[in-house]
Structures are given as structure tokens and as C-alpha cells.
Amino acid sequence: MDTEASLEINQEKSVSQKKWSTSNKILSGVLLLIMWIIMAFNTQNADYYAYSVLYNGIAQFGMDFSSDSIEPGFRAVMYVCTFISSQYQIFLLIISTVLLSALLYVIRLFTTNVFLVLFLFFIFGFTSQAIQVRMFSALIFILLAFYHLTKLRGSKAIF
């Protein structure tokens, strides 16, 4: 009976509570730093100029600056960040820090081999998804929702 209780407790532990190795932490940290530099300081993506103009307009004139079809949630995030700084580059530094931290959190929820998952994401999805801030934030929200859906209702809820 005692072993059944301990098995049940061990099964209830999420993957994020398990230990991950020091080399995995170091490699993950280095890769996250590289991803942060690319995401926060990249001025060559397709959205940079349009969002820079939008951010600067929101910083000067407020939330209702433009009637573009930008999502109200993303516009609100931009508006909140204008209280910290009126420069778009600072916004990119803040949002990339938050989103990459959330990505690390989500990856830690699913696996202990964080570096491998980050490396595969860096190779296959980072350049097309994470560089575009809105797409990357949507990806993070979907992954968090997927985790909480499976945690609350089990894997049968997906199917």
C-alpha cells in the first residue's frame, strides 16, 4: 500500500519539477541568449517597420492612433509598454524576454530535455515563427492552453 501511494505521488509530479542536468541548463541558457539577441535586435523582419510606426504612434497619440487591423490585445500590450519606454526597440527587448521566458516555462512543463527541444525549435520554427512577435505570442498561448487542457481533463480531452 505504501508503494502504491508513492507511485501515485510520483505520477502526479509534473515534468517541470524533475531535475535537469547542469549541461542542459548551460546549453539551454546559451541558446536562449542567442534567440533573445536575434529576436530583440532583428530589424530585418517583415513586420519591423510597420510595428515601429504603430508603436511610435501609440506612444505619441494613445491607444486609438491607427485604425489598422492589428489585434486589440497586441495593441494593448504595445500601449502598456509605452509607459516603460517610447522606443520600439525597448518594446522588442521586453516582449522577447517575456515570450522566451514563457517558452522556457512551457518546454519545462512538457520535458526535462530542454536544450534538445529549444534546438529543434531554433532550427525548424524560430526563424519563421518567433521573429514575428504576434505569431510567437499566439504560439505560446496555444501551448499553454494545450498543457492546461490536458492537465485538467486528461489526454482524452484532446481527441
Side-chain angles (χ1 to χ4, degrees):
M1 182 139 182
D2 190 30
T3 57
E4 289 178 14
S6 65
L7 281 174
E8 210 171 286
I9 291 171
N10 287 338
Q11 289 175 350
E12 289 179 7
K13 275 188 175 180
S14 69
V15 175
S16 65
Q17 294 173 344
K18 294 180 184 176
K19 294 194 117 198
W20 50 314
S21 68
T22 306
S23 62
N24 195 0
K25 286 180 185 179
I26 292 170
L27 291 172
S28 299
V30 169
L31 188 56
L32 274 173
L33 179 66
I34 291 168
M35 291 168 73
W36 180 76
I37 290 170
I38 291 171
M39 189 173 173
F41 297 103
N42 182 13
T43 60
Q44 300 300 318
N45 64 11
D47 296 335
Y48 185 83
Y49 179 73
Y51 288 139
S52 175
V53 169
L54 179 66
Y55 187 83
N56 292 332
I58 288 173
Q60 289 178 354
F61 303 110
M63 184 85 162
D64 298 327
F65 164 68
S66 176
S67 63
D68 289 344
S69 62
I70 304 299
E71 293 86 3
F74 186 68
R75 190 181 291 229
V77 168
M78 284 182 144
Y79 180 70
V80 168
C81 286
T82 60
F83 293 115
I84 298 169
S85 175
S86 61
Q87 296 179 355
Y88 180 65
Q89 194 65 46
I90 302 296
F91 168 73
L92 283 179
L93 291 170
I94 293 167
I95 201 74
S96 61
T97 302
V98 169
L99 291 176
L100 287 172
S101 299
L103 178 67
L104 179 65
Y105 173 74
V106 168
I107 291 173
R108 289 276 321 224
L109 289 174
F110 287 109
T111 185
T112 55
N113 198 351
V114 177
F115 174 71
L116 180 62
V117 175
L118 276 175
F119 184 71
L120 291 174
F121 177 70
F122 182 73
I123 290 173
F124 296 114
F126 183 73
T127 56
S128 64
Q129 299 293 324
I131 297 300
Q132 299 172 354
V133 176
R134 290 184 304 150
M135 230 183 225
F136 189 46
S137 52
L139 172 74
I140 297 297
F141 287 130
I142 288 170
L143 288 174
L144 280 171
F146 177 77
Y147 173 75
H148 289 294
L149 178 69
T150 57
K151 185 177 177 185
L152 293 175
R153 297 191 181 174
S155 59
K156 293 180 182 176
I158 298 169
F159 301 106

